């Protein structure tokens, strides 16, 4: 302690910094925080918020559109109970002005409380990203009854694979941008212990990224299950790659149709997938597995982050609500060349990506087509929207093959107010 005291008190500039906090702070013991919080706090008090406001003049993301000097001044010196700050929240959006294929959100949450402490910024971002959903006045519906899905089997001539994924966060533990090593390891322990309780066609095993053999690693690569250390600046600027691969891993069932990624972008990513066009079966497995995992988590004294305004809480505001992305890899060689393709997708509330993921452009005639929305509609509504939309795209493709005319459908509302 003496060494820390000597280093802290040495230097005229440090003395000025400490003086700006006042003697009362010294009496509280806050002074001796070894992680540098004292100096950071002192610097903030030395400079007004206007001196810290980021230069966003060339930025094109939701955060840059919502953050004003007044909001920044109000929130800059606030922190969540886990010491997550506004500047940490927005850093990824400051470092990454835009993205070549999508409009990014530009911020991340460090914990569940972020959405309350920084609501003056995050609520407008949520409203922007989720097409007008107002978290102050609206409630998010949840529905995991897969029996409600109709016409959920696609023509395998066009649909190559079907997939539904979501994320879940464990209440009481910081999210990946902010978690300590111990919290990250606790997420892994809680999840893996619960998953061991899955039975029947959901029974499987866990593969730790740090402990797997070369043979196991190659098999996961061959199966296209393995996730790598994040290289996207959107994730690295949000501190997602710290301590890699500590406490990260993949769990999958024996049939390799139900997967859970642990400690990637979220605490858990739950995925149901299979080749071909049976989206109804994929969603049935998704709902059953997700409900069983939640039950096993609760039996061990934990629960998922959720509230009635935002639904399930995840790291990125874009994934709030259901966190659900239902998608197919579909061949559309004729429709994709039609100038109305993008408008058709927009009106159906669908988005297209390259088959390599969000950071890849669509090439050739095969596309990853999925729902554009997450919040304000239930899981059943979103999957049915994808089913109806993809069936419409396939119908258009068949008509174009025969030289027949196609129509742009009327726009679908994102949610019922």
């Amino acid at each position: 302690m003496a060494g820390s005291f000597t280093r802290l008190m040495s230097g005229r500039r440090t003395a000025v910094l400490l003086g700006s906090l006042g003697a009362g702070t010294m009496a509280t013991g806050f002074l001796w925080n070894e992680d540098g919080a004292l100096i950071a706090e002192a610097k903030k008090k030395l400079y007004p918020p206007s001196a810290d406001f980021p230069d966003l003049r060339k930025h094109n993301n939701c955060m840059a559109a919502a953050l004003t000097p007044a909001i920044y001044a109000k929130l800059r010196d606030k922190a969540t109970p886990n010491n997550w700050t506004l500047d940490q929240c927005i850093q990824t959006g400051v470092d990454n002005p835009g993205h070549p294929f999508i409009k990014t959100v530009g911020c991340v949450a460090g914990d569940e409380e972020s959405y309350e402490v920084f609501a003056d910024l995050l609520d407008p971002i949520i409203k922007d990203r989720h097409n007008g959903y107002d978290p102050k006045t609206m409630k998010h519906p949840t529905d995991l009854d897969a029996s409600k899905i109709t016409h959920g089997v696609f023509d395998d001539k066009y649909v190559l694979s079907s997939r539904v994924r979501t994320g879940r966060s464990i209440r009481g533990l910081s999210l990946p941008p902010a978690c300590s090593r111990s919290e990250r390891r606790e997420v892994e322990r809680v999840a893996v212990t619960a998953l061991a309780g899955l039975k029947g066609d959901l029974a499987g095993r866990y593969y730790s990224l740090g402990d797997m053999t070369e043979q196991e690693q190659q098999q996961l690569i061959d199966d296209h299950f393995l996730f790598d250390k994040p290289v996207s600046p959107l994730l690295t600027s949000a501190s997602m790659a710290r301590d890699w691969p500590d406490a990260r891993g993949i769990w999958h069932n024996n049939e390799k149709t139900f997967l859970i990624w642990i400690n990637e972008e979220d605490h858990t990513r739950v995925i149901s997938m299979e080749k071909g066009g049976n989206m109804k079966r994929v969603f049935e497995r998704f709902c059953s597995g997700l409900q069983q995992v939640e039950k096993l988590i609760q039996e061990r004294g934990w629960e998922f982050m959720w509230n009635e305004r935002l639904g399930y809480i995840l790291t990125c505001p874009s994934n709030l609500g259901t966190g659900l992305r239902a998608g197919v890899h579909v061949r559309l060689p004729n429709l994709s060349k039609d100038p109305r393709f993008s408008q058709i997708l927009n009106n159906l509330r669908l988005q297209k990506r390259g088959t390599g993921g969000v950071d890849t452009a669509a090439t050739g005639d095969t596309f990853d087509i999925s729902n554009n929305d997450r919040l304000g509609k239930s899981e059943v509504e979103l999957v049915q929207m994808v089913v109806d939309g993809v069936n419409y795209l396939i119908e258009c493709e068949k008509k174009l093959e025969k030289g027949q005319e196609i129509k742009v459908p009327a726009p679908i509302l994102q949610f019922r107010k």
Side-chain angles (χ1 to χ4, degrees), residues 164-176:
V164 180
R165 67 85 164 155
T166 190
R168 291 291 187 265
S169 306
I170 299 171
R171 178 160 280 156
L173 299 172
S174 296
L175 296 170

Side-chain angles (χ1 to χ4, degrees), residues 152-274:
V153 181
F154 303 121
D155 188 334
D156 285 349
K157 176 183 175 182
Y158 301 93
V159 174
L160 308 179
S161 63
S162 305
R163 181 177 187 262
V164 180
R165 67 85 164 155
T166 190
R168 291 291 187 265
S169 306
I170 299 171
R171 178 160 280 156
L173 299 172
S174 296
L175 296 170
C179 66
S180 63
R181 296 183 189 94
S182 57
E183 286 179 303
R184 190 185 303 115
R185 292 166 186 167
E186 182 69 353
V187 168
E188 181 185 42
R189 185 193 68 79
V190 170
V192 173
T193 302
L195 291 170
L198 291 175
K199 306 296 182 184
D201 63 350
L202 294 177
R205 62 165 290 191
Y206 178 67
Y207 299 84
S208 166
L209 264 61
D211 299 333
M212 70 177 62
T213 66
E214 289 186 12
Q215 182 179 1
E216 290 170 340
Q217 182 180 29
Q218 188 58 51
Q219 186 62 57
L220 289 169
I221 292 172
D222 293 342
D223 291 333
H224 304 289
F225 291 173
L226 191 67
F227 63 89
D228 295 321
K229 181 177 181 177
V231 295
S232 168
L234 296 175
L235 299 180
T236 55
S237 294
S239 302
M240 300 284 195
R242 291 174 298 124
D243 308 309
W244 198 271
D246 185 57
R248 276 87 168 189
I250 299 167
W251 183 97
H252 68 71
N253 67 342
N254 297 327
E255 285 74 29
K256 300 181 179 180
T257 56
F258 188 68
L259 293 74
I260 297 184
W261 291 355
I262 295 177
N263 285 322
E264 189 227 14
E265 182 178 341
D266 290 298
H267 284 169
T268 63
R269 280 283 175 94
V270 182
I271 306 164
S272 176
M273 55 188 270
E274 63 180 66

Side-chain angles (χ1 to χ4, degrees), residues 113-133:
E113 294 82 2
S114 297
Y115 290 102
E116 298 296 331
V117 175
F118 306 121
D120 288 328
L121 173 64
L122 294 181
D123 281 356
I125 289 173
I126 292 166
K127 193 171 184 178
D128 180 12
R129 173 58 182 83
H130 295 283
N131 200 39
Y133 182 91

